[in-house]
Amino acid sequence: MAAESLAAEQKSAAVTDWAARVGWLVGLALFVALVYWLMREGWKWRGTLQGDLPQLPTAPSEPGPAKLTMSGRYHGSTTAGQWLDRIVAHGLGTRSRVELTLTEAGLDVVRPGAADFFVPAEALREARLDKGIAGKVLTEGGLLVVTWAHGDKLLDSGFRSGRAAEHNEWVDTLNSMISKSIDTEGAR
């Protein structure tokens, strides 16, 4: 009798409540979808606010011989001096692979899968090595940042070469080209 009462008192383990578990998973999926949608809407809103930027210039048909070329990554553009104020209008916020070509005419930025653009030589303002731009932080000097004028705004665009040793040559060549351009304009 004691064995029978002991067996009667033992109960099987609780069965998983699948309805509650599925409910939690559906709720979590809806929350993630809402957060993603809000981020996307914020990106589109930022693009609308920056709608006053003119269209990006395109490369001239005859830009001249290449002074420097570089393959790497384009990490985005920001308002000059404000490394967290990302510019997203006209596709400038889209990170992508990049092929840079510097000529006497300017800087040709070719981005497979994103909008290409051209920075005329007279729009170039400065080149420097930095450690970050919106969405990307690297070690000190790991990013080539080119400051240029677009419309009435100064922009910083961040690039990283597949071979970081190239960055110093780009900074020297760009700054030399910019100072020659300023000297030529001052002589007029």
Side-chain angles (χ1 to χ4, degrees), residues 22 79 89-90 113 148 153 166-167 170:
V22 167
T79 303
H90 307 300
W148 56 289
K153 238 183 171 163
E166 294 179 320
H167 290 173
W170 273 83

Side-chain angles (χ1 to χ4, degrees), residues 64-168:
K67 288 182 167 194
L68 289 174
T69 60
M70 177 174 82
S71 294
R73 301 239 6 123
Y74 168 78
H75 288 288
S77 292
T78 62
T79 303
Q82 298 178 10
W83 72 284
L84 291 176
D85 186 21
R86 184 189 300 264
I87 302 293
V88 300
H90 307 300
L92 287 173
T94 306
R95 290 175 57 177
S96 61
R97 297 209 37 76
V98 71
E99 295 290 331
L100 291 179
T101 305
L102 181 64
T103 65
E104 284 296 328
L107 181 64
D108 191 17
V109 182
V110 177
R111 302 183 306 154
D116 299 341
F117 61 96
F118 181 77
V119 180
E122 59 274 4
L124 292 168
R125 296 296 182 262
E126 176 191 20
R128 68 182 187 280
L129 297 180
D130 213 327
K131 64 181 177 180
I133 200 160
K136 188 66 173 180
V137 177
L138 300 161
T139 58
E140 191 67 45
L143 194 67
L144 170 66
V145 177
V146 177
T147 303
W148 56 289
H150 184 55
D152 60 350
K153 238 183 171 163
L154 282 180
L155 304 179
D156 283 342
S157 293
F159 306 95
R160 178 157 173 86
S161 172
R163 295 180 305 275
E166 294 179 320
H167 290 173
N168 287 326

